[in-house]
Amino acid sequence: MPETLYRQVAAALRTQITSGTLRPGAQLPSEPELEKTYRVSRNTVRLALASLANEGLVEARQGRGTFVRERTPFTVLASAEEGAADQSDRDAFNAAVITAGRNPDQSGFRMEVRTASSEVAARLQLDEGALVVVRSLLRMIDGRPWSVQESFYPMDIALGTALMSPADIPSGTISEMARHGHSQVGYRDEILSRMPTQTEAAQLGLGVGVPVLEMFRTAYSADRPIRLTINVYAGDSTQLAYEIGDVATFGIGG
């Protein structure tokens, strides 16, 4: 049956990709070549390639052919992602990526005032529609989009601070809030996997069928939520890790 044939072709190509025979960035044989190799129709070849694209293993480049996706996972040590108290958010990200031997960058930074959605309001314990300051940006690794980050701050906390500035804060947002009487004492993470919106897929350069990881981090002072950060990560190039307790002596992470 045609369905069985295209699955067989997809399985053969998948094995070549996962075994490293076809390495990231390598071009797959052309459709006519695949027809000849596997003795199948053009439609069967296209179904097989579409199946691999849905898995995020290959991508079609207009006028050039089909290539193995180049996605080297980056491990986020989420339990240490906040950075040092006197370190800017950008410096903390850069340091983590450079330590991993990769090249960091960021773009599209924006600071704006919005009304809180029901989701944001619930986590920050605000009334729906209350004003919040939002700081957002796109982070990249090795020149490829990696995550979209939005941080939400209650207006009464952000007003009169550098959080209202459309620029990176050299001392970091956590330190800036502490300077104005809102010291962070902890946070709660919620992580889910889902399919991206059209906007997210375009921002992160995701192929068809590639999911995202979404992490909600709600930070607290001693008496209230003071920040909500939402990170949307490319699901095929992100690994989240947590280190609880003293495990540094075992050479874990790094």
Side-chain angles (χ1 to χ4, degrees), residues 105-127:
D105 199 2
Q106 67 180 46
S107 66
F109 179 86
R110 290 192 306 168
M111 187 284 298
E112 56 188 326
V113 176
R114 298 186 202 163
T115 56
S117 66
S118 58
E119 181 177 63
V120 170
R123 286 183 168 85
L124 290 176
Q125 296 179 12
L126 301 172
D127 292 331

Side-chain angles (χ1 to χ4, degrees), residues 9-102:
V9 174
L13 293 172
R14 187 186 301 108
T15 297
Q16 293 182 55
I17 293 170
T18 57
S19 68
T21 302
L22 286 171
R23 301 182 65 82
Q27 184 172 8
L28 272 65
S30 67
E31 290 182 359
E33 289 172 327
L34 291 172
E35 286 181 61
K36 183 177 180 180
T37 298
Y38 296 103
R39 299 181 180 180
V40 295
S41 69
R42 180 70 58 90
N43 188 55
T44 298
V45 167
R46 288 176 175 172
L47 286 172
L49 294 176
S51 177
L52 295 175
N54 285 339
E55 297 173 31
L57 293 176
V58 303
E59 60 185 357
R61 299 178 187 172
Q62 190 170 8
R64 297 181 58 193
T66 302
F67 294 78
V68 180
R69 284 177 63 82
E70 297 182 81
R71 289 287 185 176
T72 303
F74 177 68
T75 299
V76 182
L77 184 55
S79 51
E81 201 190 17
E82 298 288 62
D86 59 350
Q87 189 177 39
S88 78
D89 303 322
R90 180 168 187 160
D91 287 346
F93 167 70
N94 287 353
V97 176
I98 291 171
T99 297
R102 312 281 292 276

Side-chain angles (χ1 to χ4, degrees), residues 126-139:
L126 301 172
D127 292 331
E128 185 174 349
L131 294 180
V132 290
V133 170
V134 187
R135 298 171 65 84
S136 58
L137 55 86
L138 173 69
R139 284 178 165 168

